[in-house]
Amino acid sequence: MSMIRDLRAAVRPSLLHPRRKTGAVSASPYANYDATRDPTAASAVVDCAVYRDGRRVDDRACLTPRGAMRQVRESGGFAWIGLHEPTEAEFAGIAAEFGLHPLAVEDAVHAHQRPKLERYDDTLFTVFKTIHYVEHAELTATSEVVETGEVMVFTGPDFVITVRHGGQGSLRNLRHRMQSEPELLAKGPSAVLHAIADHVVDGYIAVADAVELDIDQLEIDVFSPAAKGSTRGTDTGRIYQLKREVLEFKRAVSPLTRPMQLLSERPMRLVDPDIQKYFRDVADHLARVQEQVVGFDELLNSILQANLAQATVAQNEDMRKITSWAAIVAVPTAVCGVYGMNFEHMPELEWTYGYPLVMGTIAVVCFSIHRTLKRNGWL
């Protein structure tokens, strides 16, 4: 079944939405089910399993969410259903089977939600923003640094439903890792919720470390001596672009702080007390990342202001040089302007040494002005 799941996940993107070709052959095992008989069977389901005593039950009767819940109600355990970008029609049968609240279902289908934790009767609805660092050879004014996705988690007494949006944030490896720790899975759905939260926050830490390297490199580029000859507009564009990406990062991290505090501090019937202790560790890691992101934002503000100040200083230096040379050129301009007047009676006009004297005077005065301005740092 593992090979079938991997093959299904590889070809499923071309079969997710009605707007894509309907004549393609699906590698999904759910394609063999008649949705009119079992409305919970949908191509959006990427994995469906029952876990009992911390171990996965390999039973083809559990292949659909309805079959999984039938097994859970008959023999105990809990079901874990994973979906990727379901449509309203695909999710309708599952929502009815598990009694999910319409407001939470709407959020799960349409995505673009801020991180939050809500309780609907006997179900917890949690929204996580996933962050993926986009590798790039060089930071430019149009570079994409972080890519976001979403993971919604419905946690009930005997089920977990995960709904993923975006190309990143796959939970396949997380599921496999948890299956290798049956003592943890035996704690029930709250253990899965904690594992997903921990997985998402660990991703934040990795992205924060990578973004910090980008900021360090940008800071070196802006303040290094070689940067004095660079184009200031380019540096400003790079700083602004990175600041926008950090803001996107901040929107994913900051709203999640309150839900993690609730899960780690407030007793909840759906959260095992032993698992609640682990949420404190997740909340601590999240607080660390939030401090980093806030620091990134403030540091980028300082770098941007320093860059603009450097550009202003460079412009002032250019103006001082232009002014200095204008002062030097003003001397011969003034002298030549005086002797260019068409008067017959002017001193030194008929003197043999008049021309050399005037040219020498101009040279001496210009040299003196140049030396004075250079000594004062204007040239």
Side-chain angles (χ1 to χ4, degrees), residues 155 193 258 314 366:
T155 310
L193 178 61
R258 181 58 179 167
C366 290

Side-chain angles (χ1 to χ4, degrees), residues 1-12 15 25-35 37-38 41-48 56 60 62-65:
M1 288 186 65
S2 177
M3 181 177 68
I4 294 176
R5 287 196 302 273
D6 292 342
L7 180 60
R8 169 172 28 88
V11 301
R12 198 182 145 272
L15 304 170
V25 178
S26 173
S28 171
Y30 300 99
N32 298 324
Y33 287 86
D34 184 358
R37 289 189 295 106
D38 188 351
S43 62
V45 179
V46 295
D47 204 345
C48 177
R56 179 167 181 150
R60 288 193 62 84
C62 305
L63 204 56
T64 65

Side-chain angles (χ1 to χ4, degrees), residues 273-294:
D274 293 334
I275 295 297
Q276 190 172 35
K277 302 174 184 177
Y278 291 94
F279 277 110
R280 298 173 189 168
D281 183 63
V282 177
D284 289 342
H285 291 172
L286 182 65
R288 170 196 159 191
V289 175
Q290 185 182 18
E291 291 176 357
Q292 280 186 285
V293 174
V294 172

Side-chain angles (χ1 to χ4, degrees), residues 175-189:
R175 186 188 287 259
H176 291 167
R177 187 171 71 249
M178 291 196 69
Q179 289 174 174
S180 65
E181 301 177 358
E183 66 282 356
L184 185 60
L185 268 176
K187 296 293 184 180

Side-chain angles (χ1 to χ4, degrees), residues 109-296:
V109 171
H110 296 289
H112 303 295
Q113 306 296 317
R114 71 194 303 268
K116 61 182 178 179
L117 172 66
E118 295 179 344
R119 181 172 180 174
Y120 297 98
D121 298 327
D122 290 334
T123 303
L124 288 179
F125 178 61
T126 315
V127 178
F128 299 95
K129 281 277 191 181
T130 58
I131 298 290
H132 171 70
Y133 179 76
V134 180
E135 297 289 343
H136 47 269
E138 182 181 359
L139 181 66
T140 66
T142 58
S143 294
E144 185 180 9
V145 179
V146 296
E147 183 180 359
T148 61
E150 291 180 53
V151 175
M152 288 84 162
V153 185
F154 294 88
T155 310
D158 51 8
F159 66 86
V160 176
I161 301 174
T162 57
V163 181
R164 185 168 60 88
H165 290 267
Q168 305 297 330
S170 173
L171 301 177
R172 182 183 294 110
N173 293 335
L174 174 65
R175 186 188 287 259
H176 291 167
R177 187 171 71 249
M178 291 196 69
Q179 289 174 174
S180 65
E181 301 177 358
E183 66 282 356
L184 185 60
L185 268 176
K187 296 293 184 180
S190 60
V192 177
L193 178 61
H194 163 263
I196 294 173
D198 188 53
H199 173 72
V200 171
V201 174
D202 283 346
Y204 292 168
I205 295 174
V207 173
D209 292 340
V211 171
E212 185 174 13
L213 294 178
D214 280 338
I215 295 177
D216 290 342
Q217 183 59 51
L218 184 61
E219 191 173 16
I220 292 173
D221 293 343
V222 170
F223 292 102
S224 64
K228 293 181 179 180
S230 65
T231 304
R232 296 295 170 183
T234 302
D235 287 339
T236 302
R238 294 165 62 201
I239 297 170
Y240 185 73
Q241 176 63 17
L242 187 54
K243 185 172 175 59
R244 289 187 61 183
E245 297 296 300
V246 168
L247 180 60
E248 187 75 15
F249 194 3
K250 186 176 180 180
R251 288 173 179 168
V253 174
S254 296
L256 189 59
T257 303
R258 181 58 179 167
M260 288 300 101
Q261 289 177 346
L262 293 175
L263 288 171
S264 62
E265 298 173 358
R266 179 178 298 179
M268 295 185 182
R269 188 158 48 88
L270 295 173
V271 179
D272 189 286
D274 293 334
I275 295 297
Q276 190 172 35
K277 302 174 184 177
Y278 291 94
F279 277 110
R280 298 173 189 168
D281 183 63
V282 177
D284 289 342
H285 291 172
L286 182 65
R288 170 196 159 191
V289 175
Q290 185 182 18
E291 291 176 357
Q292 280 186 285
V293 174
V294 172
F296 292 161

Side-chain angles (χ1 to χ4, degrees), residues 81-95:
I81 296 97
L83 301 96
H84 181 249
E85 297 183 354
T87 63
E88 292 183 8
E90 289 174 326
F91 203 33
I94 297 175

